[in-house]
Amino acid sequence: MSSCADRPSEHRLVTPPLPPGSCSSFTDEELAGTAAHENLWVALEHPGNWGRDIYDGHAFDAETSAALQQKMADAGARLLLIRKPGRAGQAARAAGSHRVFVADAAKARLYALTVKDARDLLDLPLDTPQLIAGARQVQQTLMLVCTNAKRDRCCALAGRPLADFLARELPADTVWECSHTGGHRFAPVAIALPTGYTYGRLNAASGLSAYRSLAEHNAPSTLGLRGRSTLDGAEQAAEVLVRRELAERGETPSVGDLTISELAKPGARSAGVHHVVVTHRDGRRWELALQQKGLPPRPASCGKEAKPGASWVPAQERPASSC
């Protein structure tokens, strides 16, 4: 199968240079294993001010912010604010026209509905989106690109041009700007819903491939892949490593073809080693031993004090494979 990135694009991606010392200028940290760990995502269309944190009182009043934060905690959900890329996303929405997407990442199911305002979310059974009145399951892949400028300048400078580029290249209503997803040091970053596959250091080719691989083949591209949000860091890294190995052989397993689980081995965790098993639907099995390797200090966010970093790496020379 030819790479989705091989398809010629009609537009150019032009990204302004980042100021010296920007957090995303450090590129020695491995992407694998760095995605946020979430099973349920709620994306609310909100064209106004997002603030540094969506619950800090800028996007909503203090009472609504606190209620929404508690609602998401109770539902085990992560709330993201979204808007259309460019000036279209800044336009105020008419009452009753705020779109909402609820993604059950574990089951890779996406539900769409509309609400009058954010407080309507407080009365919805978000943890069982199939039971929400008026919600419909949609067979769609969304690309949410972080452009949360007040959280980090890298997401604004690198994320906004990417979101605009992808919106011009891909089907309508599939690309959205979004609030902080985690990992602006990898800007531009994006999360694909409903699967929860998360990407970083995207460019024109890898951004297109991330969407098209999932939308057209139900398989995540390995270009810029950080991991799937349904897994923890070690499990994410293990899946990415196996998918990279298979991609080198010309194999592109679908979302459901690989099962990932961590083995409990006496003393391994205390030694900083995580043993993860990746099992293919066809019976092939990989056992990987992973640990975090220290990296020189760097800011986790622009303007913050530099602190040591770390990357997930194999604790042995090569993964043990039974294929």
Side-chain angles (χ1 to χ4, degrees):
M1 180 183 70
S2 62
S3 169
C4 297
D6 293 340
R7 190 180 306 171
S9 61
E10 299 176 2
H11 307 95
R12 291 182 60 218
L13 171 59
V14 180
T15 302
L18 296 174
S22 295
C23 66
S24 64
S25 63
F26 296 82
T27 59
D28 56 339
E29 182 178 352
E30 289 286 341
L31 290 172
T34 63
H37 189 188
E38 304 287 349
N39 286 312
L40 186 65
W41 297 87
V42 179
L44 168 68
E45 186 176 19
H46 183 82
N49 188 352
W50 292 344
R52 186 179 186 279
D53 184 295
I54 61 174
Y55 300 120
D56 65 8
H58 285 86
F60 314 107
D61 61 70
E63 180 183 355
T64 301
S65 298
L68 284 171
Q69 189 169 22
Q70 186 60 55
K71 173 68 175 182
M72 298 303 151
D74 293 342
R78 170 80 175 269
L79 177 64
L80 296 175
L81 302 183
I82 61 173
R83 62 189 173 213
K84 300 302 291 293
R87 292 187 177 182
Q90 304 292 333
R93 306 253 75 76
S97 66
H98 294 266
R99 280 168 284 191
V100 179
F101 298 98
V102 182
D104 182 339
K107 296 179 180 178
R109 294 176 183 171
L110 184 67
Y111 300 84
L113 63 147
T114 58
V115 296
K116 293 180 181 179
D117 59 46
R119 292 193 65 87
D120 289 345
L121 296 178
L122 301 176
D123 300 321
L124 300 179
L126 298 175
D127 54 343
T128 52
Q130 69 276 14
L131 300 181
I132 297 175
R136 66 190 189 282
Q137 186 175 349
V138 292
Q139 303 300 320
Q140 188 177 19
T141 294
L142 304 180
M143 286 294 289
L144 310 186
V145 181
C146 180
T147 62
N148 203 159
K150 289 192 175 180
R151 186 77 179 203
D152 195 275
R153 69 188 179 210
C154 287
C155 288
L157 292 174
R160 285 175 179 167
L162 177 68
D164 184 63
F165 168 81
L166 293 177
R168 286 180 287 143
E169 288 284 326
L170 299 176
D173 295 331
T174 59
V175 180
W176 299 80
E177 294 185 8
C178 74
S179 56
H180 180 59
T181 62
H184 32 251
R185 65 192 185 279
F186 306 119
V189 298
I191 179 169
L193 298 182
T195 57
Y197 279 106
T198 304
Y199 289 84
R201 300 186 188 128
L202 289 171
N203 55 32
S206 59
L208 292 172
S209 183
Y211 171 83
R212 289 172 175 161
S213 292
L214 286 164
E216 299 173 9
H217 308 292
N218 193 34
S221 167
T222 59
L223 300 175
L225 183 58
R226 295 171 57 195
R228 190 176 183 184
S229 70
T230 55
L231 306 172
D232 66 23
E235 293 169 336
Q236 291 173 15
E239 181 186 7
V240 173
L241 289 173
V242 170
R243 285 191 177 278
R244 286 177 184 168
E245 180 181 318
L246 293 175
E248 290 177 357
R249 305 179 193 172
E251 297 184 49
T252 54
S254 71
V255 171
D257 281 344
L258 300 181
T259 302
I260 298 91
S261 59
E262 187 162 351
L263 290 176
K265 291 200 173 185
R269 280 291 189 97
S270 60
V273 178
H274 295 245
H275 292 266
V276 181
V277 172
V278 180
T279 306
H280 195 290
R281 188 189 301 273
D282 64 13
R284 285 179 289 174
R285 182 178 183 274
W286 295 259
E287 182 179 332
L288 297 91
L290 298 165
Q291 61 186 8
Q292 289 196 294
K293 175 186 176 182
L295 296 172
R298 78 283 315 286
S301 186
C302 291
K304 286 194 173 183
E305 180 184 356
K307 295 182 179 180
S311 287
W312 285 105
V313 297
Q316 57 192 45
E317 193 169 301
R318 288 186 59 82
S321 172
S322 63
C323 62

